[in-house]
Amino acid sequence: MFNIKKLLLASVFLIPTIQYGQYTDQINSNRPGESMSAFAVGKTVIQVETGVFGIKENHDLLRYDANGFGIDMELRYGAFLENLEFIADIQYLNETFNYPMQVDDRADFKQTVLGAKYLIYDPNKGYKKEVNIYSWKANHKFNWHQVIPAVAVFAGANFTGADNPFYFSPQSEISPKVALILQNHLGDGSWVFVGNVIYNYITADYPSLSYILTLTKGINDHWSAFVENQGIKSDFYSDAIVRGGAAYLINKNLQVDASISTNFKDTPSLLYGGVGVSWRYDGRYKEVHLKSKEEEAAEKMAKKTKTKKGFKKTKK
């Protein structure tokens, strides 16, 4: 249906970077898209991202129509390290399938994933853009540093119960999930591009390889909008999905959102939309200062000077 490997390879070279550390002054939610950001919420920070959605399916070959609704929730917690985050991602779906001679009701957890995300590389840690006081052109030319992505990895597991109607095996299973996450800020920082490469259900009968590309634009201090493309490839299910939506920041710790999604095939055709909210608690967070290269060099020099002075005094 589409060549995922070529798209994934191209996305690696298109992705840019983010300009801040783990914790941000305003909530940084993965909603309303499906991609995962590279940065953690911050040590001791708790963040809940949840919503409700409706779904409509139509399958031309199997001749069914389906309608349903669901609830999804992602719980994120920063612990131990500033760049480490633990994640619980849960989705519950209730759906009714109408066949020509049969009605089939299905309700269960469509997804239960537990795992952790770790930021491997932040290109802006210690980076300070040099200002040229003699040239306006030099200060406003394209900054190639933006092309370097922040890089994170996710590792976790899917937990599926027995006789789950949304799963391809009748037995309960635990199967690993891993992801490579890339993220950047573009231009003046109001554009954010996120790329995910995901290998899911690794030890199951039908492992899947997928990608998600999300482009978000900060419109003003409260509004942001996004577009997203997701591709999924496996022997059990393959698809290409597009999404769009917007989010509104109520205050620095509270955001609401809405989105709509569809695909490009009729086996089945999909249409679903949802609304949600993201909230964080950061009352115990202590700010971590990311030092520039100049600050680190100055500290090392001061320590060396102090050590030399102390050594001379000892000799006397």
mmCIF file of all heavy atoms in Angstrom, residues 189 227 306 308:
data_model
loop_
_atom_site.group_PDB
_atom_site.id
_atom_site.type_symbol
_atom_site.label_atom_id
_atom_site.label_comp_id
_atom_site.label_asym_id
_atom_site.label_seq_id
_atom_site.Cartn_x
_atom_site.Cartn_y
_atom_site.Cartn_z
ATOM 1 N N GLY A 189 10.593 29.003 16.575
ATOM 2 C CA GLY A 189 10.272 28.129 17.706
ATOM 3 C C GLY A 189 8.808 27.792 17.819
ATOM 4 O O GLY A 189 8.419 26.961 18.633
ATOM 5 N N VAL A 227 -1.172 18.872 12.304
ATOM 6 C CA VAL A 227 -1.527 17.874 11.291
ATOM 7 C C VAL A 227 -0.599 16.683 11.513
ATOM 8 O O VAL A 227 0.542 16.849 11.953
ATOM 9 C CB VAL A 227 -1.386 18.409 9.849
ATOM 10 C CG1 VAL A 227 -2.452 19.439 9.557
ATOM 11 C CG2 VAL A 227 -0.001 18.968 9.603
ATOM 12 N N LYS A 306 41.360 27.085 42.115
ATOM 13 C CA LYS A 306 41.203 26.868 43.549
ATOM 14 C C LYS A 306 42.103 25.728 44.029
ATOM 15 O O LYS A 306 42.721 25.799 45.100
ATOM 16 C CB LYS A 306 39.745 26.551 43.870
ATOM 17 C CG LYS A 306 39.426 26.494 45.346
ATOM 18 C CD LYS A 306 37.942 26.265 45.564
ATOM 19 C CE LYS A 306 37.625 26.187 47.048
ATOM 20 N NZ LYS A 306 36.181 25.942 47.285
ATOM 21 N N LYS A 308 44.961 24.706 42.637
ATOM 22 C CA LYS A 308 46.353 25.139 42.582
ATOM 23 C C LYS A 308 46.710 26.003 43.786
ATOM 24 O O LYS A 308 47.750 25.866 44.397
ATOM 25 C CB LYS A 308 46.612 25.903 41.288
ATOM 26 C CG LYS A 308 46.681 25.010 40.064
ATOM 27 C CD LYS A 308 46.936 25.833 38.818
ATOM 28 C CE LYS A 308 47.013 24.938 37.589
ATOM 29 N NZ LYS A 308 47.240 25.715 36.348
#
